[in-house]
Amino acid sequence: MNFTTTLKSTSTGLRNALRSTLFGVTMAGFALMSTAAEAQQTLRVVMHSDLRVLDPILTTAYMSRNHGYMIFDTLYALDADLVPQPQMVDSHTVSDDGLVYTFTLREGLMFHDGAPVTGEDVAASIARWGTRDGMGQVLMSFVDSMAQGATPNEFVINLKQPYGLVIDSLAKPSSNVPFIMPKRLAETPSTEPIPEQIGSGPFKWSDAEFQPGVRAVYEKNTDYVPRSEPASAAAGGKVANMDRVEWVVMADDQTALNALLAGEIDYWEQPPADLLPILSANPDLTVKNLNALGFQTIMRPNTLNAPMDDPRIRNAAIASVNQKDVLDALVGTPELYNICGAMFVCDTPLATNVGSETLTAGNGIEKAKALLAEAGYDGTPIVIMHPTDVASLRSQPVVVAQAMRDAGFVVDLQAMDWQTLVGKRASQASIADGGWHMFVTNWVGADVFNPLVNNMVNGKGKDGGWFGWPDVPQIEELRTAYATSQSLDEQKALAEQIQTIAFEEGMYAPIGQYFVPTAWSNSLSGVLDGPAPFFWNISKE
Amino acid sequence: MYVYILKRVLAAIPVMGFVALFVFLLLRLTPGDPAAIIAGDTATPEQLEAIRTSLGLNDPLAVQFFNWISQLLRGDFGTSILSGKPVIELIADRMEPTISLALTTIILSVLIAVPLGVIAAWKQGTLIDRFVMLLSVLGFSVPVFVIGYLMISLFSMQLGWFPVQGFRPIGDGVGDFFHRIALPTFTLTLLYIALIARITRTSMLEILGDDYVRTARAKGLPETRVLMHHALRNCSVPIITVIGIGFALIISGVVVTESVFNLPGLGRLTVDAVLSRDYPVIQAVILLASLIYVVINLLIDIAYVLLDPRIRYARPIKPPPSPRLTASPRSCAPARSSFPARS
């Protein structure tokens, strides 16, 4: 290569470098133009799923619950210590005989359409919630009447007999949450969606910007009057510091990771466990578990179909499983899981490990074999439904199936998508007609932390029971006793009895507790702990 | 010609009717219950029945089909079972990203791939030819999501030139629009360049040995004119076919690309609707995709006539020389070949 050639080459290289730099500057300029105007006022969030159903009473979907927390408010709410605190309520009184609860609403509560919140709205909302929610249905069974009180900001519940969990019911933190909506919306049948999204919460719904599967947008409710107490989980002052909150749907985890690292989103509700090391290593991000109760993953047998109609066979299946194996497959990182045999979740007042010894010790194979022999198991294949499209649900059935095979079961692990499972699990048909024996699902801890909200210890059988339909009248008596109990000690004793019987009957098995940390940019402050993601109290630098 | 177009349009009606019936029955026979999805974990059987009734899912299949077709004929695509939004609104929201991606990809691909294919054929056996073929093999072989992630890693994460994800309508600013659509366009363009360049090269090679090309060269015409005017034009039929089918493919949804770059296109709408058993949405988007294919096929057929005057659509003479075309045997055969379905 002679000098001229070298010079030309260098010159060309410089030109290319210059072009490249100019191109980069131009692109960066585009980026600045598009984001600078809105970055400081908007919180961009990637949630664990997309928002589809906007009525948080019609469905138990967690995204609908999260949506409810944005635009609706509650009478009471649990604080970070799981203690009910007044939220919309200013004060309440209980008559001496414990039959009349009179609630006075806070001053200044207004719906997003400008109408004041009244006792009539509250009565209609609680009535609608009470037709759908398990704990609400129990409350309603004690309620004689509900109505507006002497003034529009009063609300009165008359009970048929004293019920110790009125306030706990109204403070229920997870699906279905007793959100308060205008009477005209609350009068919608609970099997149909409400036609408008009008609440009295700290954010307003932006219907025009809603694109299912793409994004949901909330705007600050400037008329909202927060409580004066500091925010604590779902309780305290709900101060909306952000002008807008955008829930952006991202179907691909890698895209969400890149977007968070690049600063295009601020908050990622549930990053998968395998990406956490990358997020934790980034000094500009915070990775923290916000939900102290975490999730409970469970296996649920169907008591209607042989041979699972025999409690010994159900118990053999439960005894064969080792929680550690399940959690290693599901989560992998021991720091993010807890071997926990408590049906009502570890680290709660009702937590007890009674009956769960083989699950937590992982030494139940011999017990399982003995139970199978005693029950005369004839090798009938056990149909386990296996949802392969949901990352948090696809590992457990494989581990459970293998554990059951090790114990001597013949297992038919049927792969399907989650929505097929959701449709199929509602069927009480026999196996020959497309029925099932077992499935695995996950619950937020707050949805299972007492015998009234925990659907799996519902013993009402085919009529009124939860999928699997165990018919255990004794459990129902204990749940009723729990509902009317007046002290925590009494509740603890009843919860322990319920758990003991639930294990004896093989109603279900908690097969592990795990935690899903949230990741957010360090530019955010005020992110709250809680059983659901809350977006008030958050500020952005 | 006009009679032919009219016949094709009329022929499309039973095709669309068959597609409608097929999709409707397929969805009803597939396991899954939208009512159970809406109701969630705690609904009682009575509540499930009530939801099914309110959605019309308890009606006999014939009644449900008749109701849906009646709605369609009135121009009403129904409402989403889950979100309650009109289906036409959901589809309209997703059309701009999809059409934008289709247009930018096809335009860029054609601008690059056709010259590359022509040059490769012209310089057959040389390094240039081998380079184009290597590019083609790579474009076909490397999955689109890998190319997408590499693009994001380099141009977004390392250089910071482009955003990682998202779409902005062109109405929000031309600069922002191109800024966000660029990476997905480049990603898909690599695939389409591979396809179009290869088809162009093959078609050109077939033509370049023909007598009339030799004659044109013997007349002393410039090589550019020989290639572009005489050879390429006669090869345009298969190229147009591939471009048309490629365009239809993007319009009907490129799920992987849309997911990697978080583009709210029709592909993701379709997948989301299928996973959530949102029957009205699934039915509408599949009908729409079918209609797009019918229309694009028609446009391709019309383009054949405009590009190659020897092609005439006529009533077949018994026995017909080919199923649909009466064309010169020396035309390049239309390339309705299989298309990579992994974009």
Side-chain angles (χ1 to χ4, degrees):
Chain A
M1 181 185 294
N2 61 31
F3 178 71
T4 311
T5 312
T6 308
L7 190 63
K8 274 184 182 171
S9 172
T10 308
S11 169
T12 307
L14 280 172
R15 275 203 304 272
N16 287 341
L18 187 60
R19 279 187 199 129
S20 174
T21 307
L22 282 173
F23 183 68
V25 168
T26 308
M27 293 300 111
F30 281 142
L32 284 174
M33 282 192 317
S34 62
T35 57
E38 43 194 314
Q40 293 306 306
Q41 294 81 33
T42 302
L43 181 67
R44 289 195 180 84
V45 170
V46 171
M47 301 295 279
H48 70 273
S49 181
D50 57 335
L51 178 64
R52 294 283 174 181
V53 181
L54 299 180
D55 185 341
I57 304 301
L58 176 65
T59 182
T60 54
Y62 288 144
M63 282 303 294
S64 304
R65 173 204 63 186
N66 300 342
H67 164 73
Y69 269 117
M70 296 295 281
I71 65 167
F72 298 110
D73 212 345
T74 55
L75 296 176
Y76 288 83
L78 288 192
D79 65 15
D81 297 322
L82 305 179
V83 177
Q85 302 291 349
Q87 182 54 243
M88 295 172 80
V89 167
D90 183 50
S91 62
H92 82 270
T93 59
V94 185
S95 62
D96 292 341
D97 58 3
L99 293 179
V100 181
Y101 281 69
T102 304
F103 303 89
T104 304
L105 301 175
R106 285 194 289 129
E107 291 295 328
L109 295 178
M110 278 204 309
F111 288 114
H112 300 156
D113 59 2
V117 180
T118 67
E120 285 189 342
D121 301 311
V122 174
S125 300
I126 298 301
R128 185 170 190 258
W129 167 74
T131 64
R132 293 306 301 267
D133 181 72
M135 199 162 181
Q137 288 165 1
V138 176
L139 173 65
M140 288 301 123
S141 70
F142 287 89
V143 169
D144 184 45
S145 64
M146 289 187 301
Q148 181 170 288
T151 59
N153 68 339
E154 274 188 6
F155 166 62
V156 179
I157 296 180
N158 294 301
L159 300 176
K160 298 172 193 164
Q161 65 180 91
Y163 178 49
L165 299 175
V166 172
I167 304 301
D168 297 74
S169 302
L170 299 177
K172 187 170 182 274
S174 193
S175 297
N176 301 93
V177 179
F179 293 117
I180 304 303
M181 47 188 69
K183 183 185 174 194
R184 70 174 193 282
L185 301 184
E187 286 177 339
T188 308
S190 65
T191 52
E192 293 173 19
I194 52 173
E196 291 175 84
Q197 298 300 307
I198 301 290
S200 63
F203 293 95
K204 291 180 177 178
W205 173 244
S206 177
D207 194 58
E209 296 179 273
F210 176 46
Q211 283 184 275
V214 181
R215 68 175 181 166
V217 178
Y218 302 88
E219 289 169 352
K220 179 179 179 176
N221 175 12
T222 51
D223 296 326
Y224 184 76
V225 181
R227 297 188 70 88
S228 56
E229 299 92 336
S232 172
K238 296 180 176 178
V239 179
N241 296 318
M242 305 302 299
D243 293 324
R244 278 166 66 89
V245 178
E246 289 183 9
W247 292 358
V248 184
V249 179
M250 289 196 191
D252 184 66
D253 286 334
Q254 185 66 41
T255 305
L257 172 75
N258 289 333
L260 184 60
L261 293 174
E264 292 178 26
I265 60 169
D266 306 300
Y267 179 110
W268 187 7
E269 186 197 1
Q270 291 185 6
D274 58 324
L275 297 181
L276 289 176
I278 300 172
L279 295 166
S280 301
N282 190 311
D284 298 326
L285 300 177
T286 299
V287 179
K288 186 187 168 202
N289 175 39
L290 297 174
N291 181 1
L293 299 183
F295 293 80
Q296 186 184 76
T297 183
I298 64 127
M299 56 189 274
R300 173 73 164 186
N302 184 351
T303 61
L304 300 185
N305 283 327
M308 282 288 174
D309 55 349
D310 185 336
R312 292 171 297 181
I313 300 288
R314 299 199 292 270
N315 269 310
I318 292 170
S320 68
V321 175
N322 177 357
Q323 282 200 356
K324 184 173 187 309
D325 293 343
V326 173
L327 292 166
D328 279 340
L330 172 62
V331 183
T333 311
E335 294 77 24
L336 294 176
Y337 70 66
N338 187 17
I339 293 172
C340 167
M343 285 183 170
F344 306 117
V345 187
C346 287
D347 302 322
T348 63
L350 304 182
T352 168
N353 282 324
V354 62
S356 66
E357 293 77 12
T358 58
L359 281 167
T360 52
N363 57 1
I365 288 288
E366 294 309 316
K367 180 185 173 186
K369 287 178 178 172
L371 283 167
L372 285 183
E374 183 187 329
Y377 173 61
D378 61 359
T380 302
I382 303 299
V383 174
I384 300 180
M385 296 190 285
H386 180 203
T388 53
D389 60 328
V390 180
S392 62
L393 287 173
R394 61 174 162 237
S395 311
Q396 302 95 308
V398 177
V399 178
V400 168
Q402 188 54 48
M404 288 173 62
R405 287 186 186 115
D406 292 345
F409 280 99
V410 176
V411 176
D412 177 8
L413 191 62
Q414 294 187 354
M416 59 190 70
D417 69 321
W418 172 248
Q419 302 302 356
T420 298
L421 189 155
V422 166
K424 194 169 175 175
R425 73 177 176 180
S427 165
Q428 297 184 348
S430 66
I431 297 298
D433 292 330
W436 55 277
H437 283 122
M438 188 181 290
F439 72 97
V440 171
T441 190
N442 305 325
W443 291 89
V444 165
D447 278 334
V448 292
F449 73 160
N450 74 45
L452 296 186
V453 298
N454 188 322
N455 287 306
M456 281 75 67
V457 295
N458 172 329
K460 291 178 181 168
K462 289 174 74 171
D463 298 318
W466 196 66
F467 314 111
W469 307 282
D471 189 357
V472 190
Q474 195 184 353
I475 283 261
E476 285 306 294
E477 290 169 15
L478 289 168
R479 290 175 79 214
T480 304
Y482 178 90
T484 53
S485 62
Q486 299 293 323
S487 74
L488 182 59
D489 286 343
E490 196 181 348
Q491 289 173 353
K492 283 181 180 176
L494 288 164
E496 186 165 323
Q497 288 181 58
I498 289 170
Q499 179 165 321
T500 303
I501 295 170
F503 269 121
E504 285 171 2
E505 290 288 332
M507 294 173 79
Y508 90 105
I511 53 176
Q513 182 184 21
Y514 67 98
F515 305 96
V516 182
T518 298
W520 64 87
S521 162
N522 286 345
S523 64
L524 303 186
S525 58
V527 177
L528 292 168
D529 288 4
F534 304 126
F535 296 103
W536 54 85
N537 203 53
I538 294 180
S539 300
K540 187 173 174 181
E541 288 175 12
Chain B
M1 184 68 178
Y2 294 114
V3 174
Y4 172 77
I5 293 172
L6 183 63
K7 281 181 180 174
R8 286 291 303 272
V9 170
L10 292 176
I13 293 172
V15 171
M16 299 304 295
F18 177 76
V19 170
L21 180 63
F22 180 75
V23 171
F24 180 86
L25 290 177
L26 189 67
L27 288 176
R28 266 47 178 199
L29 296 175
T30 304
D33 181 357
I37 293 167
I38 291 172
D41 288 322
T42 57
T44 62
E46 294 74 28
Q47 288 168 339
L48 272 178
E49 276 305 299
I51 293 173
R52 284 193 196 105
T53 303
S54 73
L55 295 174
L57 298 173
N58 278 338
D59 295 338
L61 279 187
V63 173
Q64 290 184 46
F65 184 71
F66 178 77
N67 289 342
W68 177 52
I69 291 295
S70 304
Q71 278 183 335
L72 277 183
L73 293 176
R74 294 195 303 270
D76 178 3
F77 283 78
T79 55
S80 160
I81 286 177
L82 293 181
S83 69
K85 286 223 163 196
V87 172
I88 193 73
E89 196 177 305
L90 293 176
I91 291 176
D93 285 344
R94 304 300 186 97
M95 285 304 281
E96 185 180 347
T98 296
I99 290 177
S100 302
L101 183 62
L103 284 175
T104 52
T105 299
I106 291 298
I107 290 170
L108 192 61
S109 301
V110 168
L111 289 177
I112 297 171
V114 172
L116 274 183
V118 170
I119 293 169
W122 182 41
K123 299 288 183 186
Q124 186 190 10
T126 65
L127 276 177
I128 295 173
D129 182 24
R130 287 175 193 193
F131 171 75
V132 173
M133 286 305 96
L134 176 69
L135 200 66
S136 274
V137 171
L138 280 177
F140 273 124
S141 315
V142 183
V144 165
F145 74 90
V146 172
I147 298 172
Y149 286 145
L150 288 173
M151 292 260 186
I152 290 171
S153 176
L154 179 63
F155 295 113
S156 301
M157 306 304 288
Q158 303 294 326
L159 298 172
W161 291 354
F162 296 98
V164 170
Q165 53 81 40
F167 174 80
R168 287 291 163 86
I170 199 163
D172 289 359
V174 176
D176 208 13
F177 167 79
F178 280 112
H179 194 206
R180 287 187 182 267
I181 203 79
L183 280 192
T185 298
F186 295 157
T187 302
L188 273 183
T189 296
L190 281 181
L191 171 65
Y192 281 80
I193 285 176
L195 185 73
I196 297 171
R198 197 170 184 96
I199 291 289
T200 306
R201 176 184 178 273
T202 306
S203 305
M204 287 289 288
L205 284 178
E206 196 177 333
I207 289 289
L208 285 176
D210 273 11
D211 288 346
Y212 72 88
V213 174
R214 198 175 300 118
T215 304
R217 282 175 172 151
K219 279 164 58 183
L221 289 177
E223 191 66 9
T224 314
R225 187 167 171 77
V226 172
L227 288 174
M228 304 307 288
H229 187 74
H230 292 272
L232 181 60
R233 181 162 183 185
N234 281 310
C235 280
S236 54
V237 166
I239 299 169
I240 287 292
T241 306
V242 167
I243 291 169
I245 294 175
F247 187 78
L249 191 72
I250 304 178
I251 289 282
S252 48
V254 277
V255 180
V256 176
T257 309
E258 289 175 9
S259 296
V260 167
F261 293 99
N262 199 34
L263 291 178
L266 278 177
R268 273 182 52 200
L269 177 68
T270 311
V271 170
D272 290 346
V274 169
L275 289 177
S276 56
R277 306 292 191 274
D278 201 339
Y279 294 159
V281 179
I282 305 171
Q283 289 164 180
V285 291
I286 292 181
L287 264 189
L288 178 70
S290 307
L291 185 65
I292 287 168
Y293 270 89
V294 167
V295 170
I296 287 183
N297 267 302
L298 179 61
L299 293 176
I300 290 170
D301 287 344
I302 295 170
Y304 289 166
V305 180
L306 300 177
L307 291 165
D308 189 344
R310 292 169 299 176
I311 297 175
R312 288 288 177 270
Y313 296 103
R315 185 186 297 276
I317 302 163
K318 293 177 188 177
S322 75
R324 295 170 52 245
L325 303 177
T326 54
S328 160
R330 288 309 303 161
S331 293
C332 299
R336 287 174 194 264
S337 56
S338 62
F339 213 82
R342 54 177 175 76
S343 48

